[in-house]
Structures are given as structure tokens and as C-alpha cells.
Amino acid sequence: MLAREVSDARFRPTRWREGYDQNEVDAFLDRIRATLAGYEHGHPVDPLTPDDVAAVRFQPTKFREGYAQDQVDDFLDEVVVALRKHASR
């Protein structure tokens, strides 16, 4: 996975059912992008670990727009796999 793929990630918005807080997800995606960009340039600075990504929890939203939880969770599962590959190199 490349940093560009994180930038291109889009999640279905939710309104009347529970979702994840968009600002929290976006901020965490920024950290993932920075980690992957660091690996791409050969010098990650304070990189996230697969465990960091697996352990993250976002504030749930109801009655305001959030991101679809299943889509975010599936994407973060892919990020965990990618970070494990980087860690094993």
C-alpha cells in the first residue's frame, strides 16, 4: 500500500446510523499517510505500528454525519497487512 492510496481512500457517509467521527478518522489517516510516505522514502519518522492501527478506536457518531464503520475497519485491516510487510523488511 502506498501513501497515495490512503489519500485516495473514500468512505460512505452515514447520517441516521452509527458511524465513526470523520475528523478522528481523517487525522488518523494523516498519520498512516506519513508513516507510509516515510517507508517509501526510506526513513520513516515515528511510524505507526500494525498494533497501533489494530488498536485504534474512534468516537461513534449518531444523528450527524460519520464514516461507515465497516468500510473504515476493512481499510484499516489492509493498512495493518501493509505495515506488517514493512516491519518485516
Side-chain angles (χ1 to χ4, degrees):
M1 176 176 288
L2 301 173
R4 177 184 82 248
E5 294 172 80
V6 177
S7 297
D8 293 343
R10 299 290 177 261
F11 306 110
R12 184 177 63 249
T14 62
R15 284 204 179 127
W16 305 113
R17 63 187 180 352
E18 198 167 87
Y20 288 141
D21 182 276
Q22 292 179 342
N23 291 329
E24 289 181 17
V25 172
D26 290 343
F28 195 68
L29 291 178
D30 287 342
R31 293 184 60 202
I32 293 169
R33 258 191 303 274
T35 294
L36 292 172
Y39 280 120
E40 290 168 25
H41 293 96
H43 56 280
V45 176
D46 193 26
L48 288 169
T49 67
D51 290 339
D52 294 332
V53 176
V56 71
R57 297 293 175 261
F58 302 109
Q59 184 71 32
T61 63
K62 261 191 182 173
F63 308 115
R64 64 184 170 98
E65 198 165 89
Y67 288 138
Q69 292 176 345
D70 58 336
Q71 288 184 339
V72 173
D73 291 341
D74 290 347
F75 185 77
L76 293 180
D77 288 344
E78 293 176 31
V79 170
V80 168
V81 170
L83 291 178
R84 283 187 179 139
K85 288 179 184 177
H86 283 292
S88 69
R89 293 180 186 165

